Amino acid sequence: MNQKKIEAAKEYIDTIWDIQDGFDLKIHTGDSFLDVIMNYYSYLAVKENIEFVVSGKLTEEMPLEMFDLTTLMGNILQNAIEASVKAAFPKIRVELVEHKKEIFIVVSNSVGEEINTKKVFFTTSKKDKENHGFGLKNIIAAVEKYYGEYYIESIVEKGEALFKISIAIPRENRI
């Protein structure tokens, strides 16, 4: 979208929504749009032999527009898949937690090696840098649009390097 490639972005979103007809929705989050996104990326993860686990359930739909929710979760989960395939034990965990005023989304994924998140601003590792590297910027823009907060860290858990992004989205939007 940042590059004015609106048709390509719409085509991507249509692909995600249309894919729901091709398989049963096994993951139920409490938000119908989020269900489609999670099931799509679960399907992709299984194809890449990545363990994909979703925990938690929402009692009401996310307070994000469909496009923003797709941008947010699509970028997070695509990045998680691309990083996980490089790890010895590839896995992705998505946690959904509700509080009275906020919804928390925590996504962690295995990585090939620990990243110093305090010193590194994440850039694409792909050769075609002109057409890639917008994922994190799009994630941040979507979170900030809804007056949310995010925290990115690299941790070691049980001897395994993980990348983790934690997001808090207020239930009541000010947009």
Side-chain angles (χ1 to χ4, degrees), residues 45-104:
V46 167
K47 281 178 57 174
E48 295 290 340
N49 294 314
I50 300 169
E51 179 186 338
F52 191 92
V53 177
V54 178
S55 63
K57 191 166 183 162
L58 305 174
T59 57
E60 59 186 59
E61 299 211 343
M62 291 286 294
L64 280 73
E65 294 173 19
M66 178 183 70
F67 178 80
D68 296 324
L69 182 58
T70 304
T71 298
L72 177 70
M73 295 308 297
N75 279 291
I76 290 172
L77 295 172
Q78 185 64 44
N79 290 347
I81 285 176
E82 290 173 10
S84 292
V85 295
K86 299 174 185 173
F89 302 103
K91 67 179 173 187
I92 299 170
R93 286 191 316 235
V94 180
E95 300 169 65
L96 304 170
V97 180
E98 284 185 309
H99 286 276
K100 286 183 180 181
K101 295 185 178 188
E102 296 176 299
I103 295 173
F104 294 94

Side-chain angles (χ1 to χ4, degrees), residues 63-65 67-73 75-76 134-150 167-170 173 175:
L64 280 73
E65 294 173 19
F67 178 80
D68 296 324
L69 182 58
T70 304
T71 298
L72 177 70
M73 295 308 297
N75 279 291
I76 290 172
F134 302 102
L136 186 58
K137 291 175 188 170
N138 290 337
I139 292 165
I140 292 168
V143 171
E144 289 177 348
K145 177 179 177 181
Y146 291 89
Y147 300 93
E149 297 178 7
Y150 65 93
I167 297 169
I169 302 287
N173 292 323
I175 61 170

Side-chain angles (χ1 to χ4, degrees), residues 78-166:
Q78 185 64 44
N79 290 347
I81 285 176
E82 290 173 10
S84 292
V85 295
K86 299 174 185 173
F89 302 103
K91 67 179 173 187
I92 299 170
R93 286 191 316 235
V94 180
E95 300 169 65
L96 304 170
V97 180
E98 284 185 309
H99 286 276
K100 286 183 180 181
K101 295 185 178 188
E102 296 176 299
I103 295 173
F104 294 94
I105 303 167
V106 180
V107 179
S108 58
N109 58 272
S110 51
V111 293
E113 59 185 57
E114 188 178 3
I115 303 162
N116 186 343
T117 56
K118 308 255 186 294
K119 292 185 179 179
V120 175
F121 184 80
F122 303 97
T123 57
T124 186
S125 59
K126 296 176 182 152
K127 290 181 182 178
D128 182 9
K129 295 192 186 318
E130 187 174 318
N131 292 307
H132 294 282
F134 302 102
L136 186 58
K137 291 175 188 170
N138 290 337
I139 292 165
I140 292 168
V143 171
E144 289 177 348
K145 177 179 177 181
Y146 291 89
Y147 300 93
E149 297 178 7
Y150 65 93
Y151 182 71
I152 298 171
E153 61 186 325
S154 181
I155 61 173
V156 176
E157 186 177 278
K158 298 179 184 173
E160 182 179 16
L162 298 173
F163 177 86
K164 183 175 179 180
I165 183 165
S166 303

